[in-house]
Amino acid sequence: MKSLVCISLACCLAVIATGLSASLPGTELSPPSSTAQRLYAEARKDLLQIRVLVKNGRSQSSVGSGFLLGNTDLVVTNYHVVSQIALEPEVYTGEYLDTHGRRGNLQLLAVDVLRDLAVVRIDRHGSGFFQLPDQTAQLIQGEYLYALGNPLDLGFTISEGTYNGVIQRDFSDLLLFSGALNPGMSGGPSITASGRIAGVNVAHRRDGELVSFLVPVPYLQALLDSIGEEPPDDFTPLISAQLLEHQGVMLDRLLETPLALKQLGDYRVPVRESEQLRCWGSANTRPRNGYSSGRIQCAMESSVFVSDELRTGHVAINHSLLQRNGLDRWRFARTARHHFSGQVYRSSSNTLVSGPECTEDFIESNGLALRAVLCFSAYNKLDGLYMLDVLSVTTDDPDSALLSKMSMRGVSWENGLRLADAFLSSMQVATDDNVIDTPLEGQP
């Protein structure tokens, strides 16, 4: 599964060798463009570094970026930069540092966990450079954009790149920025050559080069419009409400039509393929340790950041078919049992999620005998949300075993049962009456 990386220092560690390029011959950096120089000179006074500190000792926990809006005292950043303050205000606090070395405290006002946005208030006002446009202007593919922030805690910088369209593989749009966004630039602005805000720096792909993402301006405007006179005393109910609404949308879209069926050996198994959920197939038809195997895997390419310990809003489907090929039946049964066990695991160090509570039964689905396990784990601080795992293994054939699993992170109890029922009730044996679908990508 491909993944996005949040670009704050809380999300990764780096060892920096300062001054390296200056000490090596032939590594002189090209000068920045005149446009970048002008924009940085005008914008730098309203750029900020956002720091999250442990209250006890004021030690630094995470670092990101932010920017002052207009002439106000409101600062835009990413939710993942200040998530510790939102979830554990008794432990963490925040401060800002500007380009002149001045620092001060900040107050969290609003969060949008789904779009990874947050607004904080500080004790100074902006110069008016970063103005939120009355209407979102259309960006042109290939148009130059300029990302600002404080990468790797090395100092404030500007990074030149290009706009390359809207990405719609998630449940919220993202802008594709072909430029460098490094850890520490989270929450900084990306602007056009005229200084108009194009989006908020949020993530980059760890498996790509210069594949970065911005949160579009309309989401920021909606968050600003939601700010009341006083911020919540506790942000966790608000975060829970946002995630509950999101999982409802996810499940309605996931189950708006019956799950698709793909053939895997002598079985037909449920999958879902969409812009958000991608599937791949693989097979090993050569005998290995006395059995062969085939797989179908489906997974979302993104998830919702809640904390360093918890991502949610993610769905995955896995089917594995083991077929006996030389192994005696007793050892084959033990091999299948080994593959089936140990698939649900929760770290005891994760205080945000409870241990799994599971129930097991032997059921029949479309004439297919299954051993099924259903597991829920509660989100301790986010009421009404759970992790769901549904597992099944066939029990009708001593020479083959179909092992299936569907997982969803961040689902209500009712929707979890609804999803489990749709998944288990779709599995069936392949017959001559079934229409065989086109094989998945990578499946022979």
Side-chain angles (χ1 to χ4, degrees):
M1 183 186 72
K2 309 300 183 186
S3 59
L4 304 182
V5 181
C6 301
I7 47 172
S8 71
L9 291 183
C11 296
C12 69
L13 299 176
V15 178
I16 305 300
T18 57
L20 181 61
S21 61
S23 65
L24 297 177
T27 59
E28 293 81 5
L29 297 176
S30 59
S33 69
S34 58
T35 301
Q37 290 176 333
R38 172 181 57 81
L39 290 173
Y40 182 75
E42 296 175 0
R44 68 188 303 269
K45 52 188 169 295
D46 290 343
L47 288 175
L48 301 170
Q49 185 181 65
I50 305 298
R51 297 178 169 183
V52 175
L53 311 173
V54 180
K55 284 184 175 180
N56 184 12
R58 303 283 292 186
S59 57
Q60 185 170 289
S61 177
S62 67
V63 176
S65 297
F67 58 100
L68 279 156
L69 270 179
N71 301 108
T72 73
D73 57 358
L74 302 181
V75 176
V76 177
T77 188
N78 287 145
Y79 163 78
H80 76 258
V81 173
V82 295
S83 60
Q84 291 167 301
I85 301 173
L87 295 172
E88 299 181 89
E90 69 280 2
V91 178
Y92 297 98
T93 188
E95 71 172 18
Y96 72 87
L97 176 73
D98 68 17
T99 54
H100 298 288
R102 296 184 297 245
R103 67 184 66 212
N105 296 326
L106 57 84
Q107 178 188 27
L108 183 60
L109 295 183
V111 300
D112 182 345
V113 65
L114 303 179
R115 284 91 187 192
D116 205 346
L117 290 173
V119 177
V120 303
R121 174 178 285 137
I122 65 172
D123 59 1
R124 53 160 288 200
H125 289 72
S127 69
F129 179 79
F130 293 111
Q131 295 286 345
L132 207 60
D134 295 332
Q135 293 184 339
T136 304
Q138 294 296 317
L139 297 171
I140 301 171
Q141 186 153 354
E143 179 178 353
Y144 281 114
L145 296 181
Y146 302 84
L148 300 110
N150 194 324
L152 301 171
D153 204 8
L154 294 176
F156 292 91
T157 66
I158 185 167
S159 174
E160 189 175 76
T162 55
Y163 166 74
N164 273 300
V166 179
I167 303 299
Q168 296 178 321
R169 291 190 181 182
D170 202 348
F171 287 87
S172 299
D173 293 344
L174 290 172
L175 306 184
L176 178 59
F177 173 62
S178 298
L181 291 184
N182 290 301
M185 296 181 72
S186 287
S190 283
I191 57 178
T192 65
S194 63
R196 188 180 76 250
I197 300 172
V200 181
N201 307 336
V202 69
H204 70 268
R205 281 286 285 264
R206 70 174 71 199
D207 58 338
E209 295 291 336
L210 302 182
V211 181
S212 304
F213 301 93
L214 315 174
V215 182
V217 168
Y219 295 135
L220 173 56
Q221 182 63 69
L223 180 59
L224 292 167
D225 292 341
S226 73
I227 296 176
E229 293 183 5
E230 293 294 332
D233 294 327
D234 182 2
F235 278 90
T236 53
L238 175 63
I239 294 171
S240 296
Q242 292 177 0
L243 294 175
L244 280 168
E245 181 180 359
H246 178 60
Q247 64 86 34
V249 172
M250 284 184 63
L251 260 293
D252 287 345
R253 190 175 300 181
L254 186 66
L255 300 178
E256 63 184 354
T257 58
L259 294 173
L261 296 176
K262 295 290 182 182
Q263 185 159 350
L264 186 58
D266 294 330
Y267 302 96
R268 288 174 57 77
V269 296
V271 299
R272 172 63 77 219
E273 295 178 279
S274 66
E275 283 298 311
Q276 293 79 31
L277 202 62
R278 301 300 177 96
C279 297
W280 298 265
S282 62
N284 181 1
T285 56
R286 296 181 180 180
R288 182 186 65 179
N289 299 324
Y291 66 91
S292 59
S293 63
R295 300 187 71 183
I296 293 176
Q297 297 174 284
C298 306
M300 291 182 63
E301 294 188 349
S302 62
S303 59
V304 178
F305 179 99
V306 178
S307 76
D308 290 334
E309 296 179 320
L310 182 63
R311 269 56 167 189
T312 191
H314 185 268
V315 177
I317 299 173
N318 292 281
H319 300 283
S320 296
L321 177 63
L322 308 182
Q323 294 179 301
R324 192 172 70 88
N325 193 340
L327 199 65
D328 65 76
R329 285 181 170 176
W330 183 86
R331 286 184 173 84
F332 179 74
R334 195 170 83 169
T335 298
R337 185 171 65 250
H338 173 74
H339 280 77
F340 185 71
S341 63
Q343 294 192 65
V344 179
Y345 172 77
R346 307 281 186 263
S347 172
S348 59
S349 64
N350 190 339
T351 59
L352 294 178
V353 181
S354 71
E357 295 288 340
C358 301
T359 182
E360 181 177 355
D361 202 355
F362 289 89
I363 65 173
E364 184 177 294
S365 174
N366 302 306
L368 185 63
L370 298 171
R371 175 189 173 194
V373 177
L374 179 65
C375 297
F376 279 97
S377 297
Y379 286 12
N380 291 331
K381 290 194 172 186
L382 303 172
D383 290 342
L385 288 162
Y386 300 85
M387 286 187 176
L388 166 72
D389 292 289
V390 186
L391 299 92
S392 70
V393 60
T394 54
T395 61
D396 61 334
D397 187 347
D399 297 323
S400 68
L402 173 66
L403 301 101
S404 301
K405 180 181 180 182
M406 171 178 273
S407 300
M408 182 167 178
R409 302 298 180 252
V411 64
S412 70
W413 183 272
E414 295 77 11
N415 273 337
L417 294 176
R418 177 183 164 205
L419 183 61
D421 179 69
F423 182 66
L424 293 173
S425 64
S426 298
M427 284 188 281
Q428 57 188 256
V429 176
T431 68
D432 292 339
D433 295 330
N434 290 332
V435 177
I436 298 177
D437 286 327
T438 302
L440 295 167
E441 178 182 343
Q443 184 180 353

